[in-house]
Amino acid sequence: MRLHTTCPTARRAWTVELRPGSGGPQLVCQQCDHRGVLLAAVSARSAALEHLAGHARRDALPSYLRTCQCHERGCRWHPRHRGCAGPVRLLLARERGGRLWRLADACTACASVTMQAAVVPETFLRTTVAAADGASRRRKRQPKGPGDQVRVREMLSYLAATLPGHTGAATRLLAVQCALRMNADGQVRLPIGVLHSLRLGRDLLPWTELEQARCLRRTPACPGSESGGTIAQILDGGLFAQHPARPDRRKAADWALRMATVGGVSAGDPALRLTALCLAAHTDFSVGHGCVEADRIAHECGFVPEALTLVLGRLATSLASWSVALDSGDLRWELPPGLV
Ligand SMILES: [Zn+2]
Ligand SMILES: [Zn+2]
Ligand SMILES: [Zn+2]
C-alpha cells in the first residue's frame, strides 16, 4: 500500500468553514485568506461553492493527472468502500451539519457512497471559465455537451447535496425544472402546462420549501401578463452558473417531465414520479437495465433507505423487475420492454 504523507500529487481538495461572526456567519477558507460575511440572501452552499470553484479553476489539472483525493486520504469521507473506480469528478460535500463544505476530486465509486455530497456538473466549471475570458458571448452556442439523461442525472445529484435532507419529492421535482429552465439572468418562468405536468396546481408548499432553502424567490407576474404560470428568481449560485445552452437544458427539463410518468407511473404521487425519474436518469437505455447503490438512489430522492423499498414496491407495475442485493446494497432494475 502506498503512503500518502509525502505524496507529490496535486492536492485537489478545498474546504471552507462557516464560523459565527459579529456581522453574521463568515465563510472562512482553509486554503487562502478569504474571509467573507455571508449575505442574508445567499445560501451558504452557494457562497461556498462559488469560492471553492475558484480554487478548482486556479488549480486546474489535465484529467489524466487528477486522482481520487478521497483515496489519497484513506477513504475517510465515506462509510464503506469497495475500491476506487470510474472517472474522477469534482464532488461537493457538506459536513458537520453544513458548517463545513468541501470540493474535491473523487472517483465515481467514492463519490457514490459519500453522503451529503454531489458531483458538481461539469458545466459549472466550464461555464465560469468561458465567461471569464470575455469572448464567450460572441461565440456560437455549442449544442454539444451532456445529453438530456446526463444533465438530469447530474442535476439530481447536485440537488441531493444542496437541498435540505427533509425536502419533499414534489419540491425536488420542481427544483429540477427550475434549475434546467432558468434563463441567463437566473430567472425562471414555469408556464401553466409545466405546472400541470408537475401536478402542482395550487399547491404552494414546494415553492415555499425552495424559498426557505434559499434556492429561489417567487416574483409577482407583470401586470397584464396573460400567460399565467409562476415566475421566480433563482438565488443558488451553483445553478446559476449553468446558464449557457439553455435550449439544451430546456430539452432536458422536458425529458425529466416525461420520464417522471413514463410507463403509467401514478401521477398523483410525487414520490413515485421522483423515483421513476431517478431510475430513468440511471438506466442504461441500450439494454433497459440499471444498477446503482440503493443508498444513492434513496439519497437523490430524499428518502431513508427503508422508504425507498416501499416506494419501489409501489412502482413495481412500471418496472419489469427490481431487487436489492443484500451483500453489496446494489439496486438493480429492469424497465418493461416497451419503454426501452
Ligand atoms: Zn480560498
Ligand atoms: Zn474513497
Ligand atoms: Zn476513490
Side-chain angles (χ1 to χ4, degrees), residues 1-134:
M1 192 175 166
R2 201 155 58 111
L3 289 175
H4 303 296
T5 44
T6 56
C7 185
T9 53
R11 296 175 58 83
R12 284 181 48 86
W14 311 271
T15 310
V16 286
E17 254 180 275
L18 273 183
R19 289 191 197 151
S22 52
Q26 276 195 329
L27 199 69
V28 180
C29 180
Q30 295 184 354
Q31 288 71 222
C32 68
D33 293 336
H34 179 81
R35 200 173 257 272
V37 174
L38 203 65
L39 299 174
V42 179
S43 69
R45 66 172 175 278
S46 295
L49 182 56
E50 289 284 354
H51 184 81
L52 293 169
H55 281 289
R57 282 194 299 277
R58 284 191 292 278
D59 300 348
L61 266 189
S63 56
Y64 66 91
L65 288 178
R66 289 169 61 183
T67 54
C68 179
Q69 297 294 303
C70 182
H71 175 81
E72 301 282 341
R73 289 158 181 77
C75 279
R76 282 170 289 141
W77 293 337
H78 51 79
R80 58 201 166 117
H81 196 235
R82 287 181 287 169
C84 286
V88 170
R89 307 287 298 275
L90 271 176
L91 188 73
L92 177 69
R94 176 180 183 271
E95 285 192 357
R96 295 188 215 158
R99 278 176 292 132
L100 200 116
W101 293 81
R102 180 184 62 241
L103 188 67
D105 276 351
C107 74
T108 309
C110 290
S112 69
V113 290
T114 307
M115 287 293 125
Q116 304 265 311
V119 170
V120 175
E122 288 295 306
T123 41
F124 183 84
L125 287 185
R126 275 208 302 270
T127 298
T128 324
V129 170
D133 71 11

